[in-house]
Amino acid sequence: METDDILRRHGEAIELFGDRVHAVGDDQWDAATPCTNWTVRDLVNHLTAEQLWVPRLVRDGATIEEVGEEFDGDVLGEDPVATWDRAAVAAVAAFTEPGALDRRVHLSYGLTGAAAYCSQMTMDAVVHAWDLSRAVGASEELPGELVTTALREVEPYAKDLKETGLFAPAIEPPPGADDQTRLLCLLGRRP
């Protein structure tokens, strides 16, 4: 994808997840999600922490070791929605700085292009938007172009994700499944 497309899709995915965060009711933060052993708060905390990493890695060029435990544990504090909003704005700003996607970033598996990192973050936000939707009773239908972008991103390495322990094993989608069903099944979700 072209740089503008990568940034547009990332912004759309962050907005989608943010819409779901804003839909969480006060009594839903402890609700279960499709992510094993994660509550709604755990899921939002995970995505918020991921956004907090972006400026440090993309803008500052920090290594994993330099960031250390800065974003471990509960990063949401007393106002999870506002914390998400601030982290999301900072992540989008870091990726959209001139030349940001041309940089290389230090990730847990090594040095990689910031454009690839942005695409991975897009996919993660799209899939977790579905998880959060299911958990809080919001619409589970995801925007088609975002789903297709996420599916194209993850297909080449999906078989390796199970070995990370972060994803459930893939599920065989039904014949003729649409892209959203294929994406969710590929990542161990039961649509």
Side-chain angles (χ1 to χ4, degrees), residues 107-128:
L107 300 178
S108 59
Y109 54 85
L111 200 59
T112 192
Y117 176 44
C118 187
S119 293
Q120 292 165 15
M121 294 289 282
T122 299
M123 180 274 299
D124 203 46
V126 170
V127 171
H128 285 315

Side-chain angles (χ1 to χ4, degrees), residues 22 34 37 85 153:
H22 282 262
N37 300 321
D85 287 343
E153 166 60 31

Side-chain angles (χ1 to χ4, degrees), residues 136-164:
V136 302
S139 172
E140 294 178 19
E141 185 174 340
L142 303 173
E145 289 181 358
L146 276 178
V147 167
T148 301
T149 297
L151 182 60
R152 286 185 183 143
E153 166 60 31
V154 76
E155 279 179 320
Y157 56 83
K159 67 182 182 325
D160 300 326
L161 293 177
K162 186 178 92 172
E163 295 174 20
T164 67

Side-chain angles (χ1 to χ4, degrees), residues 8 15 25 51 75 77 87 94-95 107 110 127 139 165 173-174 178 183-184:
R8 185 176 71 253
E15 183 177 338
Q51 304 321 303
V75 299
F95 276 130
L107 300 178
V127 171
S139 172
D178 62 13
L183 173 68
L184 296 171

Side-chain angles (χ1 to χ4, degrees), residues 54-74:
V54 174
R56 296 286 286 125
L57 298 176
V58 175
R59 185 193 62 223
D60 302 342
T63 65
I64 300 290
E65 295 76 22
E66 289 169 337
V67 176
E69 298 176 1
E70 187 174 342
F71 306 122
D72 288 357
D74 183 358

